[in-house]
Amino acid sequence: MRDIARDVGVDPALISRYFGSKEDLFGAVLEDCGNGADLMAGDRATFGERMAHDVIYGPRKEFKLRWLLIMLRSIASPKAAEIIVRQSQTRFYEPFTDWVGGVDAEIRARLTAGLIMGLTVSRDISGGFNLTADQCQRLQKRLASMLQSLIDD
């Protein structure tokens, strides 16, 4: 806590006052990662098209990579891992699973999220897909179909 306080130029007692423990501070940092509400915004009938377009043509999401790095570095700590699991469940997977609904909602939500996250991270760390415009269109069409089929019951 002292190192964090020094890095941001405040008294350690101030951090303790507002956040309590290191674990509470870490939880607050994770809350700032977002909750995936953008996945659930919009018409379900166009989910696949919207998400595929964002994955293929959306801007690089530097801030998402920073959050991913924080989580990957922290997962070795049992306390941090517990917080990550709890927050990802309550802030993302449970609401997304409820939104997906229907038979095997948990499975379909995990597959959808994994496909989107995996392709987006791959795109962002490699500087793009390195495909022609035609290949990007074909990739978008296939991805849209896959994502929509996972959402439709």
Side-chain angles (χ1 to χ4, degrees), residues 24-84:
D24 293 336
L25 175 60
F26 184 64
V29 168
L30 291 180
E31 284 179 19
D32 193 43
C33 291
N35 60 11
D38 54 329
L39 291 179
M40 297 171 271
D43 185 357
R44 286 178 66 94
T46 61
F47 176 85
E49 291 173 25
R50 287 182 289 110
M51 291 302 111
H53 184 272
D54 186 56
V55 168
I56 307 304
Y57 300 108
R60 188 168 193 244
K61 296 177 174 103
E62 287 283 338
F63 66 95
K64 297 269 185 184
L65 290 176
R66 284 194 298 268
W67 294 128
L68 179 61
L69 186 57
I70 288 170
M71 287 189 272
L72 290 173
R73 286 181 175 163
S74 303
I75 203 77
S77 160
K79 286 182 182 181
E82 179 185 326
I83 294 166
I84 291 168

